Amino acid sequence: AEDVVERSLALRTALGDRRGEGWLLERLARVCIAQGNTHEARALAAAACGIAVEVDDHALQVAASALRSAGTTNGTDAVPANH
């Protein structure tokens, strides 16, 4: 799944689709959380948040903001349900 998301991200980036790029960064952050890599997840979520502000996508901003705190809730990786 990670490989498919990464290829999709590369395509969205090449096309200049910032909204799509933001959502794929959010998805990659979820993959990182599932793999236990909360540091990378937070970095990806922060990038997604920046894009969300840039393209004025409130739903993306909420989803990515929730992921930015991954691993900070009682030592667990609390992740909200998929968008």
Side-chain angles (χ1 to χ4, degrees):
E2 182 178 5
D3 185 49
V4 172
V5 175
E6 288 175 345
R7 285 184 289 168
S8 295
L9 175 60
L11 179 60
R12 295 292 183 175
T13 301
L15 292 172
D17 177 3
R18 296 292 284 161
R19 185 178 313 274
E21 185 179 348
W23 278 108
L24 288 164
L25 288 168
E26 188 267 352
R27 292 294 179 229
L28 276 176
R30 289 181 181 280
V31 170
C32 286
I33 289 169
Q35 295 173 342
N37 188 350
T38 56
H39 179 74
E40 180 70 14
R42 285 194 285 276
L44 290 165
C49 276
I51 291 173
V53 170
E54 176 186 322
V55 300
D56 194 29
D57 187 329
H58 180 71
L60 174 57
Q61 190 171 7
V62 169
S65 292
L67 294 174
R68 289 181 73 180
S69 62
T72 60
T73 308
N74 298 325
T76 63
D77 290 332
V79 180
N82 284 337
H83 177 302

